[in-house]
Amino acid sequence: MNADGTIHAQKIRKSFGPKTVLKNVDLHIASGEICCIIGPSGSGKSTLLRCINGLETIDSGILKVNGEDFGYYETDTAYHALPPKKLAQQRTRVGMVFQSFNLFPNMTARDNVMAGPVLVKHADKKQSAKHAQELLTSVGLEAFGDRYPAELSGGQQQRVAIARSLAMNPEIILFDEPTSALDPEKVGEVLNVMQDLAKKGMTMVVVTHEMGFAREVADTLIFMDDGNVVERGDAREILTNPKEPRTQTFLKQVL
Amino acid sequence: MSGLDSALKPRLKRRSTFEYVSWVVCILVGVGVLSSVATNPNFKWDVVAKYFTHESILRGLMLTIFLTVASMALGTLLGLGLAIMRASTIKPIAALAGVYITIFRGTPVLVQLIFWFNISALYPNLSIGIPFTDIGTAIDTNALMGPITAALIGLTLNEAAYMAEIIRGGFSSVGKGQIEAADSLGMSGAMKMRKVIIPQAMPSIIPATGNQVIGMFKGTSLVSVLGVAELLQSAQLIYARTYETIPLLIVASLWYLVMTMLLSYPQSKLEQKYSHTSARVPRKARKVTLTAPEGIAR
């Protein structure tokens, strides 16, 4: 069975010091699925996302991304951390878009998009530049390739960041509150790019506060609170008809 | 209120009494110092003029420049290595760099210079070879450690400790998000250092390094105690013969002054060059948006 683009997590636990952030979290995402994770701040949703591409390591549980144990290999007695090269290789298949964009300020928009293919995959420079231009066009920034991040608006920076993730041809893209740092009038342009992306069959996991986006674009929705998955299911169903009282309270507050 | 149209009258800045007083004091002191310098025959300006471009002074200046450039270049390279070691997650490597920095920053550079000059008292012979075999050669340390070599080693090792701290400070000025972005693209440690961390650390490293170069240029005068004929020692050698102490110290001082003034020009140019990478768009976190974005229904 081809497991590309799938995420499979079972009984994931993660603590920061005395604080347990993820308590036995299960997560199953199919290839091409668009999954939104919502919940109050501090509920562990960003941490869960960050575990999926190894920015945080889990304390226990099973985490398979693209069908492989992520960051570790299993023996009879334990999970052993993978050597950095192997981990990096797994990471190239999982794109990440950050709340604060994190474009490299010392590179132009085009160089940011080319950074992954050229520096990590050692791809041909000319071809990567051409591909970068196509990606910038697809996010509506064909004329901005030579600009530095500081010369772009927040919405433009985030669209470049999405193009940068796409340049690696990942099977999965993770979005960590991609519109939370944007001015209100710039939110739409980023969500539109993400909506286009959703139509192309890529697996997307989106931590967001944008309930409109969740309703329109997401296949499934997960509501997290206090380190647990409280409710999961069809996105529209949960948003209109939440079953769990905690979900109901949260949705009442944000909608 | 007659005369000019009130709307067109110039608006004058207020000057305090203190400002007028400071002008008067400043001019009086300036005139006093200048007239004293010009009229006191002991300054011997003719001697200053005579020796300013004297052959051995210029040779000393060249050696001073050489020591500055060489020890700064080597010290920066070594300092970069130490800074990378210091940032390592491998404990013994980070600790090794930490101990080095503590020792070399914690002892006077003058003591270090004299120490290296006398290293042969500690290790009379230096040998290169394969341990526990007879293969290899030994060299007399005294022959190897001439005054200039000792000066170069002393200045370099001391500078490396300071540069390591400056570079480490630059590294820590690079945001955590930048490192995460590089990680999520699958960049290796060395690649991250070269393409992401070092370029972004430059704006904070460059100005501090400029100060180090200027400090080093003047600091080379310390190696005169080893008998290295750099700028100060060249001046000393002349006045030991002619007893024109003050004029020759003025010659040396003028050269130090001229060179440090020349050095601050490229420093400001470099700061300008690297300034665009440090310009960052301010980011603000925002709470849940309740306005429907364009194109997406709620």
Side-chain angles (χ1 to χ4, degrees):
Chain A
M1 199 193 89
N2 185 3
D4 286 353
T6 65
I7 301 167
H8 171 87
Q10 208 179 316
K11 292 186 178 165
I12 287 189
R13 295 182 72 88
K14 168 75 185 171
S15 324
F16 292 113
K19 194 180 182 325
T20 306
V21 197
L22 297 176
K23 306 167 180 169
N24 282 330
V25 170
D26 287 4
L27 183 74
H28 301 282
I29 292 171
S31 182
E33 184 176 326
I34 316 297
C35 175
C36 279
I37 306 178
I38 60 169
S41 51
S43 59
K45 51 195 192 319
S46 280
T47 306
L48 177 60
L49 200 72
R50 289 162 61 82
C51 286
I52 300 174
N53 79 339
L55 289 176
E56 307 288 353
T57 53
I58 59 174
D59 297 336
S60 65
I62 298 170
L63 174 62
K64 286 181 191 286
V65 179
N66 291 315
E68 298 172 0
D69 280 317
F70 193 87
Y72 291 81
Y73 64 92
E74 190 182 2
T75 63
D76 285 345
T77 51
Y79 280 103
H80 301 268
L82 286 175
K85 256 194 180 162
K86 276 272 170 62
L87 174 64
Q89 208 174 14
Q90 287 187 334
R91 277 174 157 166
T92 61
R93 301 178 63 189
V94 186
M96 180 87 176
V97 175
F98 299 89
Q99 178 177 356
S100 47
F101 332 132
N102 295 347
L103 290 179
F104 304 128
N106 52 319
M107 301 179 194
T108 62
R110 185 178 296 104
D111 287 341
N112 265 281
V113 179
M114 288 167 65
V118 172
L119 299 177
V120 178
K121 288 187 170 171
H122 305 289
D124 177 64
K125 256 196 179 168
K126 247 190 187 157
Q127 226 156 5
S128 302
K130 206 176 141 231
H131 188 215
Q133 190 58 39
E134 287 166 13
L135 287 169
L136 285 172
T137 305
S138 75
V139 298
L141 293 171
E142 60 270 37
F144 293 84
D146 295 321
R147 300 272 190 100
Y148 281 92
E151 301 164 335
L152 298 171
S153 74
Q156 291 168 333
Q157 287 190 62
Q158 193 60 299
R159 285 186 280 156
V160 174
I162 293 172
R164 177 173 70 176
S165 294
L166 290 173
M168 296 297 274
N169 290 320
E171 282 96 347
I172 301 167
I173 276 204
L174 311 172
F175 295 84
D176 188 5
E177 304 198 22
T179 56
S180 296
L182 298 177
D183 289 330
E185 77 273 19
K186 308 286 185 193
V187 170
E189 61 190 54
V190 171
L191 292 182
N192 285 337
V193 166
M194 290 166 63
Q195 202 169 11
D196 287 345
L197 208 56
K199 290 175 194 147
K200 289 177 184 157
M202 175 146 346
T203 307
M204 286 166 63
V205 185
V206 187
V207 169
T208 187
H209 293 297
E210 296 293 335
M211 300 304 151
F213 177 81
R215 191 197 310 268
E216 282 292 297
V217 183
D219 301 314
T220 51
L221 189 79
I222 288 176
F223 172 70
M224 284 186 75
D225 191 17
D226 195 28
N228 291 301
V229 172
V230 176
E231 191 166 354
R232 79 181 82 210
D234 180 79
R236 253 144 293 180
E237 175 67 24
I238 293 182
L239 285 171
T240 47
N241 202 1
K243 299 220 164 41
E244 298 289 329
R246 274 194 279 177
T247 320
Q248 290 165 358
T249 320
F250 176 76
L251 288 176
K252 222 174 267 166
Q253 281 165 352
V254 300
L255 284 179
Chain B
M1 299 292 153
S2 61
L4 273 168
D5 179 357
S6 294
L8 297 175
K9 284 177 187 166
R11 291 191 176 254
L12 303 176
K13 235 175 35 178
R14 185 180 173 280
R15 284 179 203 279
S16 65
T17 327
F18 182 70
E19 195 175 341
Y20 292 111
V21 173
S22 70
W23 272 109
V24 172
V25 171
C26 198
I27 288 166
L28 283 177
V29 170
V31 168
V33 169
L34 277 180
S35 72
S36 153
V37 166
T39 54
N40 185 341
N42 293 335
F43 275 101
K44 295 193 184 149
W45 289 105
D46 54 324
V47 179
V48 173
K50 186 179 130 200
Y51 282 109
F52 192 67
T53 52
H54 189 274
E55 198 197 335
S56 57
I57 290 287
L58 289 183
R59 233 185 294 129
L61 178 67
M62 283 303 142
L63 188 54
T64 288
I65 293 172
F66 164 76
L67 283 172
T68 307
V69 171
S71 49
M72 265 322 287
L74 295 171
T76 305
L77 275 180
L78 190 57
L80 177 64
L82 285 165
I84 292 172
M85 284 169 69
R86 196 94 173 82
S88 171
T89 50
I90 303 166
K91 287 260 161 63
I93 290 183
L96 196 67
V99 169
Y100 179 98
I101 292 166
T102 307
I103 291 175
F104 281 86
R105 278 206 318 172
T107 54
V109 64
L110 183 57
V111 174
Q112 289 174 31
L113 285 166
I114 300 169
F115 182 88
W116 288 112
F117 190 52
N118 294 297
I119 192 75
S120 63
L122 213 51
Y123 296 102
N125 287 298
L126 275 185
S127 57
I128 303 168
I130 301 162
F132 312 115
T133 64
D134 292 336
I135 307 163
T137 60
I139 317 161
D140 177 18
T141 309
N142 256 335
L144 198 68
M145 196 59 74
I148 292 185
T149 317
L152 204 54
I153 289 175
L155 292 174
T156 297
L157 295 186
N158 183 259
E159 188 57 30
Y162 282 92
M163 283 309 296
E165 284 297 280
I166 289 171
I167 294 169
R168 191 174 69 101
F171 287 175
S172 58
S173 74
V174 179
K176 190 166 149 263
Q178 289 293 313
I179 291 155
E180 290 184 347
D183 280 340
S184 73
L185 287 176
M187 282 195 196
S188 67
M191 182 79 70
K192 221 167 22 181
M193 194 49 96
R194 241 166 10 99
K195 299 290 180 179
V196 177
I197 299 175
I198 290 178
Q200 290 186 58
M202 279 316 215
S204 76
I205 292 174
I206 294 283
T209 306
N211 284 336
Q212 289 298 111
V213 174
I214 288 169
M216 173 64 87
F217 188 78
K218 295 177 297 175
T220 52
S221 58
L222 287 173
V223 310
S224 60
V225 299
L226 307 183
V228 175
E230 43 67 69
L231 186 50
L232 178 61
Q233 175 74 0
S234 304
Q236 284 174 332
L237 285 174
I238 296 170
Y239 71 64
R241 203 162 18 90
T242 64
Y243 299 105
E244 289 157 331
T245 310
I246 296 295
L248 276 144
L249 286 180
I250 291 173
V251 167
S253 299
L254 282 176
W255 273 118
Y256 283 120
L257 199 59
V258 166
M259 291 305 292
T260 50
M261 281 160 70
L262 286 179
L263 280 170
S264 44
Y265 178 73
Q267 187 195 0
S268 67
K269 280 280 145 200
L270 275 170
E271 275 176 45
Q272 277 168 25
K273 180 172 180 254
Y274 282 102
S275 66
H276 80 272
T277 58
S278 65
R280 289 189 191 141
V281 174
R283 288 157 196 153
K284 45 189 169 186
R286 204 167 45 86
K287 288 175 101 182
V288 183
T289 44
L290 296 174
T291 50
E294 222 182 317
I296 289 167
R298 236 169 239 273

